[in-house]
Amino acid sequence: MRQLAPLLLLLLALCPQPGQASTTCSASLSNVSFSPVNPFGGNVDVTATLNYSCTITSILSSSRVRMCFSIGAGAQGGGNFAPRQMSSGANLLYFNLYKDSGRSLIWGTRSNSYGSVGATLEIGALLGSATANGSLTVYGRIPSGQTTLVPGSYSNAFSGAHTELIYQYNEFLLGLLGYPATCTSGGNGSGSGTFAFSALATVSAQCDPSFSVENINFGTGGLLTANYDATAIVSPRCTNTTPYQLGLNNGINASGSIRRMKSAAGNYVSYELYRDNGRSQRWGNTQGTDTVAGTGSGSAQDVTIYGRVAPQATPVAGSYADTVTVTIYY
């Protein structure tokens, strides 16, 4: 028996033990970069990819890993999840990150009601080490209706506690262990990590090209021996704080700088358009000279065009019309 004991001890020393294995996991998430945001348009949707991998360093061992990925509010998020927010100075843009393509399930954390997102991996090593990989899709959305957005570059940085990877694993040699019950319990080992990323968006200064313009109707008259006055409203809509100018060209029937309406018979009635109620400031198309300036608010802003048909030689009866182009410069 004294001769057999050393041999038995030697055989046990050659058997690899589960404690010799080592499972580690890591993850990375690409930036959630939104295309340029039009405050007057619809939702802006993008996706980003969260890649993860786990490695076991062992001989003839395997590991089953259960992971949870939490995304917080972000450094500029003000603690808000519904919706999340990006900032540009003191200005805010609302967005969110979702678990599903329908963008109905907010991606949150293990500690809030929105919840984290889980994944599992199985890794087996023959000699040395082995790695298994996987990925998840993060669905981002900037919702429509943010018409008062101020132009600028917006961002929210996610790192540290705002991006948590936590995992439990079961390492085994000869038997077959299942996956840990959760990512925080039920395994024979555990680990954690982070996956820093940023949410980014740009809002450019712009004006809605489909703004409203009323027609000017001078009504029905006889002899043109007195002024015929009329007004119309043009309603530009430009991004908040964006300076703009409104210009009017001379129409399609002008003679030099004299605006004219034309009848089907080829006769003309001259008229003019003004920036003021007193009809002393002609409205033209030269920026900074005879245009009307404004600053956008994100909402439609009513601007009055003052029209006048001044006394002149009365042409033959008929219907007279002209077409004037309104241009927004910004």
Side-chain angles (χ1 to χ4, degrees):
M1 291 298 294
R2 286 192 297 271
Q3 292 176 340
L4 292 175
L7 177 62
L8 179 61
L9 291 173
L10 177 62
L11 290 174
L12 287 174
L14 290 176
C15 292
Q17 299 300 304
Q20 294 176 321
S22 176
T23 299
T24 58
C25 299
S26 62
S28 63
L29 175 58
S30 59
N31 287 338
V32 182
S33 298
F34 291 89
S35 56
V37 178
N38 178 0
F40 312 127
N43 297 330
V44 181
D45 290 342
V46 298
T47 60
T49 301
L50 192 160
N51 293 303
Y52 56 86
S53 66
C54 293
T55 299
I56 183 171
T57 303
S58 179
I59 298 175
L60 302 177
S61 289
S62 296
S63 183
R64 285 181 168 172
V65 188
R66 187 176 299 279
M67 295 166 281
C68 289
F69 301 91
S70 294
I71 301 179
Q76 289 76 41
N80 299 308
F81 282 83
R84 286 180 166 98
Q85 64 190 36
M86 289 181 254
S87 66
S88 176
N91 302 310
L92 299 178
L93 178 155
Y94 298 113
F95 78 107
N96 226 324
L97 303 173
Y98 298 90
K99 306 172 184 178
D100 63 316
S101 60
R103 292 167 172 82
S104 61
L105 302 173
I106 294 174
W107 192 320
T109 72
R110 293 184 299 113
S111 59
N112 67 21
S113 60
Y114 303 111
S116 59
V117 173
T120 58
L121 277 179
E122 182 172 355
I123 322 105
L126 293 177
L127 297 173
S129 66
T131 299
N133 304 287
S135 65
L136 294 167
T137 300
V138 180
Y139 299 90
R141 168 170 287 177
I142 294 176
S144 61
Q146 300 184 66
T147 58
T148 59
L149 282 172
V150 175
S153 296
Y154 291 78
S155 64
N156 189 351
F158 294 78
S159 62
H162 294 289
T163 60
E164 179 197 62
L165 160 61
I166 192 165
Y167 57 94
Q168 288 275 324
Y169 56 84
N170 273 326
E171 293 177 345
F172 50 92
L173 177 60
L174 299 176
L176 185 63
L177 298 179
Y179 286 100
T182 71
C183 56
T184 59
S185 65
N188 54 34
S190 63
S192 62
T194 62
F195 46 97
F197 71 98
S198 292
L200 305 167
T202 299
V203 178
S204 299
Q206 57 190 292
C207 295
D208 188 350
S210 60
F211 60 93
S212 171
V213 180
E214 291 182 347
N215 292 327
I216 296 180
N217 188 344
F218 290 102
T220 300
L223 296 175
L224 301 180
T225 56
N227 292 328
Y228 285 82
D229 291 343
T231 61
I233 300 296
V234 55
S235 302
R237 184 167 66 153
C238 298
T239 43
N240 199 358
T241 75
T242 298
Y244 65 86
Q245 295 185 49
L246 290 173
L248 305 180
N249 74 353
N250 288 333
I252 61 175
N253 300 304
S255 175
S257 61
I258 300 174
R259 291 182 168 110
R260 301 187 302 177
M261 291 178 281
K262 184 180 180 180
S263 71
N267 298 303
Y268 297 93
V269 170
S270 61
Y271 71 99
E272 196 50 270
L273 302 174
Y274 299 91
R275 293 169 279 158
D276 63 313
N277 185 49
R279 290 162 172 84
S280 62
Q281 301 174 39
R282 186 180 189 274
W283 194 331
N285 207 25
T286 303
Q287 295 183 63
T289 300
D290 57 5
T291 53
V292 170
T295 301
S297 66
S299 300
Q301 297 173 301
D302 291 346
V303 180
T304 302
I305 302 173
Y306 300 91
R308 170 169 287 174
V309 175
Q312 59 193 278
T314 304
V316 298
S319 295
Y320 292 77
D322 191 20
T323 300
V324 174
T325 299
V326 182
T327 302
I328 302 181
Y329 302 95
Y330 61 94

